[in-house]
Amino acid sequence: MARLSAILVTAIWLVVAGLPSADMALAQSNAPAQRSENPGEPPSPALLDSLSRAMAAPDGFEDVFDAQVWLLDMQSRLARRQPEAYPSRRARLALLERVHAEARRAQLPPELVLALIDVESRFQPDAVSSAGALGLMQVMPFWKAEIGRPQDDLHDIDTNLRYGCTILAHYLKREHGDWTSALARYNGSLGRTIYPEQVMQAWFTRWWIDR
């Protein structure tokens, strides 16, 4: 347990390093996600190699046509789902570009990340949970202290997405690709299926695309 916790803490530290800060809003959650764990041994060379390759991967889209199709599709869905938080097409497209880039960096389906944001914060930029979770992906502030980066601004969209996607990707790997268990760990509700079912339902009914 301690070794796995140390891997996650170091993983977050590595992938959030060098992010710029910019003001962004808070998001809300019904449960405190990503429970705190004590750091232990240093990360394995295999994990460091995976992170290095992920950081070297290009952001965004490799194909312009695919980018246009995906962004236009998702921005219309976001407009229907949350017309007040992102009233303009430009704002919706800017958010979606960052979600896609950070999901790809962590090797996660971008649509799944959208579903998680939908459940965690309903895309409300000014929301905050009673537990103090921040940002679109409801990242708990204790992670900043855990990895020695108190200066990180979890209100910043890029920083928040980087933390959230890295944490979720780690839990998915830890659970050997089991989405139910990985999502439950992210939400701090391992052993219960209500939260994973909510995210999966949002994914399949609102954000799913056929590939």
Side-chain angles (χ1 to χ4, degrees), residues 153-169:
D153 181 7
L154 292 177
H155 299 177
D156 172 61
I157 188 170
D158 292 317
T159 303
N160 189 276
L161 291 171
R162 184 73 58 88
Y163 270 79
C165 288
T166 302
I167 292 167
L168 179 58

Side-chain angles (χ1 to χ4, degrees), residues 34-113:
Q34 319 107 34
R35 295 183 187 276
S36 181
E37 298 171 303
N38 294 325
E41 300 177 14
S44 68
L47 176 60
L48 291 175
D49 179 66
S50 296
L51 286 169
S52 295
R53 286 186 284 107
M55 291 299 291
D59 286 347
F61 302 88
E62 296 179 356
D63 185 89
V64 174
F65 178 75
D66 287 345
Q68 292 174 341
V69 172
W70 191 88
L71 287 170
L72 289 175
D73 181 11
M74 292 300 152
Q75 77 85 23
S76 65
R77 299 188 198 192
L78 182 56
R80 293 191 299 270
R81 184 62 176 160
Q82 183 49 274
E84 295 182 2
Y86 300 92
S88 72
R89 174 177 289 191
R90 176 177 296 181
R92 293 190 295 271
L93 290 174
L95 171 66
L96 290 165
E97 286 175 357
R98 298 317 307 152
V99 170
H100 191 279
E102 293 302 331
R104 282 196 56 195
R105 184 188 294 274
Q107 299 182 339
L108 297 170
E111 301 81 22
L112 182 277
V113 175

